[in-house]
Amino acid sequence: MATWTEPFGGYGPFEDTHFPQDWTIFYWAWWLVFAPSMGLFVARISRGRIIKQMVAGAIFCGSFGCALYFIVMGNFGLSLQLSGQLDVVGILNESGHTKAIFSVLEQLHFSYVFICLFTLLCIIFTATTFDSISFILASVVQTNVTDDPMRWNRLFWVFTLSLMPSVLMFVGGLTTLQTAAIVGGIPLLIIAIMLMIAAVKATHLDIATQVGYEDSTIHIEDLPDVDPWSLEGAALARFEALRDQATKAAIKERKALNNLVLCKKEVRMEAMARRMSGADLGDEPQYLLNREAMLTQKVVIAKEQKFTPSELAQRARIEFDELMRHKESLT
């Protein structure tokens, strides 16, 4: 269903249901709208865990729960329809989705308990969704967030997020809400691509600041001795020059990373001193924020400056090896 485009809709005996337009594309846009805020929320509550654990928990556990629900309840509804015990399709067409869902639940043993449990889960899901999105939006628009964003800021986004879909549902029903989700999801496609690129860069930066991290270096001790006036000697000289540039850039990057690590350590020491003195923790001092931002920018620039000579040095090494293999093949 996620990739079905109804290619024969309206041709011959095939009915044009508009299902891809009304639901498939709608859910593509729906997840694009949810992706930035939910990604930030999952990252926030997963602090201290590795990326593999976070991805496994978010993808497999959530998918398993959804699949289990659809397998059990979906097949139960199909069984009721096929056996003639309950006309689910008729109820769906006449009274809508809500009536159909609760009619299916009424066929279960202890139906009252399951309906109460289902309603409670729906309330928890809605409350958790609004709480997580409002938390992230409040954190993004507020500066100097050390622990949690201010409560009035979160309440503002909760009421805003509740009011907008309510108005859309009241004005035009579900169709208007679907159209708004699709229109809002299209620009987020570009933002999602930018977020993926930023995530890769942030991961590289985080790895470089870990204790024990060492840059890969290029060694030439195992290279054969060649005539400096030959073609191979010129290739070796070019490789050595580029290697020296890459080494200098790597040293510069390491110094920038060490300065950033020391700055973050200073921030932690400042926060610990405030806690031990009993003073209000408050926001991080502006001068530390400015210094951390400046050092982070220097790290990014140093990493970009190291990339080009490193790539060129690797290519020069490959060219030298090819020349040496060609020379050996002639002898």
Side-chain angles (χ1 to χ4, degrees), residues 238-252 305-306 308-310 312-313:
R238 180 172 179 270
F239 167 68
E240 290 176 329
L242 291 172
R243 190 279 311 268
D244 293 339
Q245 293 180 16
T247 302
K248 291 180 181 179
I251 294 173
K252 185 178 179 181
Q305 292 176 346
K306 186 192 74 171
T308 300
S310 299
L312 292 176

Side-chain angles (χ1 to χ4, degrees), residues 262-279:
L262 292 175
C263 178
K264 291 183 177 181
K265 184 177 180 181
E266 183 179 348
V267 172
R268 291 192 294 268
M269 294 295 293
E270 178 71 19
M272 183 185 68
R274 290 192 182 186
R275 289 183 184 275
M276 294 182 63
S277 63

Side-chain angles (χ1 to χ4, degrees), residues 34 37-38 41 127-137 154:
F34 264 87
S37 58
M38 295 307 296
F41 176 74
T128 304
T129 302
F130 277 98
D131 178 69
S132 60
I133 297 179
S134 62
F135 183 92
I136 293 302
L137 289 175
R154 295 178 62 181

Side-chain angles (χ1 to χ4, degrees), residues 33-54:
V33 171
F34 264 87
S37 58
M38 295 307 296
L40 291 172
F41 176 74
V42 172
R44 173 85 182 197
I45 64 177
S46 302
R47 185 175 184 179
R49 295 177 175 84
I50 61 177
I51 296 179
K52 181 171 64 176
Q53 293 173 339
M54 187 188 71

Side-chain angles (χ1 to χ4, degrees), residues 11-311:
Y11 291 95
F14 299 99
E15 182 182 357
D16 190 6
T17 63
H18 289 276
F19 183 88
Q21 298 93 320
D22 296 339
W23 288 104
T24 305
I25 298 177
F26 162 68
Y27 272 109
W28 290 348
W30 178 273
W31 289 117
L32 281 174
V33 171
F34 264 87
S37 58
M38 295 307 296
L40 291 172
F41 176 74
V42 172
R44 173 85 182 197
I45 64 177
S46 302
R47 185 175 184 179
R49 295 177 175 84
I50 61 177
I51 296 179
K52 181 171 64 176
Q53 293 173 339
M54 187 188 71
V55 172
I59 294 180
F60 295 107
C61 295
S63 300
F64 176 76
C66 292
L68 184 64
Y69 176 82
F70 279 105
I71 289 171
V72 175
M73 297 305 301
N75 281 282
F76 180 65
L78 289 173
S79 176
L80 294 176
Q81 178 69 35
L82 296 175
S83 64
Q85 185 176 351
L86 180 67
D87 186 11
V88 180
V89 176
I91 298 174
L92 184 64
N93 294 330
E94 294 177 4
S95 304
H97 303 81
T98 305
K99 179 64 177 177
I101 292 173
F102 283 96
S103 298
V104 172
L105 293 175
E106 287 175 353
Q107 305 303 313
L108 295 170
H109 297 290
F110 306 103
S111 59
Y112 181 79
V113 176
F114 281 103
I115 290 175
C116 292
L117 181 61
F118 177 79
T119 306
L120 179 62
L121 290 176
C122 290
I123 295 173
I124 294 175
F125 169 77
T126 305
T128 304
T129 302
F130 277 98
D131 178 69
S132 60
I133 297 179
S134 62
F135 183 92
I136 293 302
L137 289 175
S139 300
V140 170
V141 301
Q142 181 180 328
T143 59
N144 299 337
V145 180
T146 53
D147 290 326
D148 293 337
M150 291 181 286
R151 183 169 299 177
W152 68 266
N153 195 2
R154 295 178 62 181
L155 289 175
F156 167 77
W157 287 107
V158 166
F159 285 115
T160 302
L161 294 171
S162 303
L163 181 63
M164 291 178 62
S166 300
V167 171
L168 291 174
M169 287 289 291
F170 179 77
V171 171
L174 184 60
T175 303
T176 305
L177 185 61
Q178 289 176 329
T179 304
I182 293 173
V183 173
I186 293 175
L188 288 173
L189 179 61
I190 301 175
I191 297 177
I193 297 175
M194 296 172 62
L195 286 173
M196 289 187 287
I197 297 174
V200 174
K201 290 185 176 181
T203 303
H204 285 295
L205 181 61
D206 182 72
I207 292 175
T209 57
Q210 299 300 317
V211 178
Y213 171 79
E214 294 182 1
D215 290 311
S216 57
T217 56
I218 303 173
H219 300 282
I220 64 169
E221 289 78 5
D222 56 339
L223 295 177
D225 188 16
V226 296
D227 182 7
W229 297 103
S230 63
L231 186 62
E232 295 79 10
L236 178 59
R238 180 172 179 270
F239 167 68
E240 290 176 329
L242 291 172
R243 190 279 311 268
D244 293 339
Q245 293 180 16
T247 302
K248 291 180 181 179
I251 294 173
K252 185 178 179 181
E253 181 197 20
R254 172 51 58 185
K255 289 181 179 179
L257 287 170
N258 289 337
N259 291 333
L260 180 60
V261 171
L262 292 175
C263 178
K264 291 183 177 181
K265 184 177 180 181
E266 183 179 348
V267 172
R268 291 192 294 268
M269 294 295 293
E270 178 71 19
M272 183 185 68
R274 290 192 182 186
R275 289 183 184 275
M276 294 182 63
S277 63
D280 185 19
L281 186 61
D283 296 330
E284 184 178 344
Q286 189 62 41
Y287 77 94
L288 289 177
L289 286 172
N290 296 337
R291 183 182 175 193
E292 187 174 350
M294 179 189 66
L295 293 175
T296 302
Q297 184 64 25
K298 287 185 177 181
V299 170
V300 173
I301 295 174
K303 187 175 291 292
E304 292 176 351
Q305 292 176 346
K306 186 192 74 171
F307 178 78
T308 300
S310 299
E311 287 291 319

